[in-house]
Structure formats: C-alpha cells, structure tokens
Amino acid sequence: MSTAGAGVGSSSQQHILSTDMPSASPSVPILQATPGKRIALPVRVEPKVFFANERTFLSWLNFTVLLGTLAIGLLNFGDRIGRISAVIFTFVAMAIMLYALVTFHWRAERIRKRQAGPYDDRYGPTVLCVFILAAVFINLGLRFTASKHG
C-alpha cells in the first residue's frame, strides 16, 4: 500500500516539476483548409472601437452643450437681436445633436455587424460648420444693421 502511494506521489511530483510543454506535431497544421475552399474567419472587433465611437458621440454632445450655453446667454442677457441669434444657435445645436445621434447609431450598427469600410463622415462636419458660420454671420449682420439704423 505504501508503494502505491509513493508511486502516485512521485508521478504527480514528476508532472508538477516537468517543464516540457506538449508540442504539436510539425507535420500536422493547426488549421486545415479543404482544397479549393476559402476559410472564412470572423472579423475581430476590439472593444476600443466601440469606446471610440462612444467617445466621439460624447465629444459632439459636449460641443452642443457649449453652443446651447451660448444660446441661453444670448437669450437671457441680449436684446432683440440677441434673442434672434439665440434661436438660430439653438436650432444649430439641436441639428448637431441629431447629427451626432444618427452618426453614433449608424457607426455602432456597422461595428456590431462587423462591416468593413470607413466609418468616417466627410460631409457632415463641414455642413455643420457652415451652419455655425451662417449663424455667426447672421448675428453680425443683424448687429451691424441695427447699429447703422440706431
């Protein structure tokens, strides 16, 4: 009985102390392809891609909050021209919020479905900048025409 226990203990000690790793046979590849067929491997999407999409969405929302703060300041402390500009800036901020939401969901769906291709939008930010510039120029135009008449 003591020899059986010693045998078990010694084999387990040999197993624990062994540093040899089992190796695959060099003649057998790990992945085998059927002749004439392509192997379809799943596309790996790293978690940082999802987080980058969310971070971009939050960055756009941060910008809209700043633009909304400007509109509230003009609304509360401005004259008639300030209130008109506040309405314009509010609509621009809401348009940017809507753009950010649509773009976020569009990218998230493409990432979730693992669709290849660019996820950037070449025209959206340019159009939004044109809207902001238009709002600023309308504000300046109203301000200068009011100062000439007043």
Side-chain angles (χ1 to χ4, degrees):
M1 207 173 205
S2 64
T3 57
V8 171
S10 64
S11 69
S12 66
Q13 284 179 348
Q14 284 178 343
H15 177 70
I16 291 172
L17 297 176
S18 174
T19 58
D20 295 336
M21 296 295 293
S23 62
S25 171
S27 62
V28 179
I30 295 173
L31 294 174
Q32 295 180 357
T34 308
K37 300 276 184 168
R38 291 182 60 192
I39 298 175
L41 297 175
V43 177
R44 176 166 161 70
V45 178
E46 296 185 14
K48 68 180 182 179
V49 176
F50 291 103
F51 294 134
N53 185 29
E54 185 176 351
R55 197 169 44 246
T56 304
F57 174 65
L58 292 175
S59 176
W60 277 106
L61 288 185
N62 185 24
F63 176 68
T64 61
V65 166
L66 290 175
L67 198 58
T69 303
L70 172 70
I72 289 173
L74 284 171
L75 184 65
N76 288 329
F77 303 112
D79 53 354
R80 184 179 82 70
I81 295 171
R83 288 190 294 272
I84 293 170
S85 298
V87 169
I88 294 171
F89 279 116
T90 301
F91 282 125
V92 170
M94 288 173 27
I96 293 172
M97 281 184 195
L98 186 64
Y99 162 78
L101 183 67
V102 168
T103 305
F104 171 75
H105 284 296
W106 173 75
R107 285 181 182 148
E109 182 179 346
R110 288 180 61 111
I111 292 168
R112 201 175 315 115
K113 290 182 179 179
R114 293 180 168 88
Q115 293 178 350
Y119 297 125
D120 60 339
D121 183 11
R122 296 179 186 212
Y123 304 111
T126 305
V127 170
L128 294 174
C129 285
V130 167
F131 284 155
I132 292 171
L133 282 175
V136 169
F137 287 138
I138 288 172
N139 185 17
L140 289 174
L142 289 173
R143 187 63 62 190
F144 285 134
T145 57
S147 65
K148 286 182 183 179
H149 295 298

